[in-house]
Amino acid sequence: QSALTQEASVSGTVGQKVTLSCTGNSDNIGTYTVGWYQQISHGAPKTVMCGNSLPSGIPDRFSGSKSGTTAYLTISGLQPEDEADYYCSTWDRSLLVQVFGGGTRLTVL
Amino acid sequence: EVQLVESGGDLVQPGGSLRLSCAASGFPFNVFTMHWVRQAPGKGLQYVSNILSNGNTYYADFVKGRFTISKDNSKNTLWLEMGSLRAEDTAVYYCGRTQDGSFLDWGQGTLVTVSS
């Protein structure tokens, strides 16, 4: 059981907007920046969002937000190359560990 | 350009030991929190351990007493000493640097296989 809760799977068509969610509590998401990580075919994770900051080289169709204890990753204008597993993660000040979501499999139809 | 390069992964017998290394470059290594994260075959990402800039260390419960994280700021290198290895420790191990809870960069990973 992961400390952060993500949808197991999400799908969308090319050009569509999709939003992935990541729910935690006040000790983790409510306090710290949430990162989002893309993993294609179990290759190395790639950071696509740090809070609401877009890392260099990541397309601006990716955006991040947070409301209370839930973080969101929105992909506007879905592309075939966005098909991947997406994980969220942040620090937990109570557990004193980095917590991860179980991952969302994004399928581009 | 930030680079994190892991090495040291290998096939090891249950009960054995292994030392993973992560060579860092392209950023002030002594300033950042560094992590080890693993991924077992077909599973999600799993936190293993991290070390703060001040040297404080933290561990996941399942590795406490078996793994030790350390770093040498003069060598820009992070290590993970792994002991009493079990089959369930089989995974790709990634190092990463974080800021305020988010990973900024990841290495390419190194495979540890625990099997007789």
Side-chain angles (χ1 to χ4, degrees), chain A residues 22-94:
Chain A
C22 174
T23 300
N25 60 38
S26 59
D27 287 324
N28 43 63
I29 291 180
T31 302
Y32 297 98
T33 300
V34 177
W36 290 89
Y37 314 105
Q38 179 192 67
Q39 193 175 38
I40 297 175
S41 302
H42 274 272
K46 178 181 179 182
T47 299
V48 294
M49 191 61 57
C50 288
N52 57 6
S53 296
L54 198 63
S56 174
I58 302 302
D60 61 6
R61 62 178 181 273
F62 287 84
S63 63
S65 63
K66 185 169 72 172
S67 177
T69 57
T70 299
Y72 303 93
L73 177 70
T74 298
I75 308 173
S76 304
L78 200 58
Q79 297 298 307
E81 59 265 31
D82 299 332
E83 185 163 288
D85 293 324
Y86 290 85
Y87 295 89
C88 62
S89 178
T90 190
W91 183 252
D92 189 296
R93 65 181 179 180
S94 175

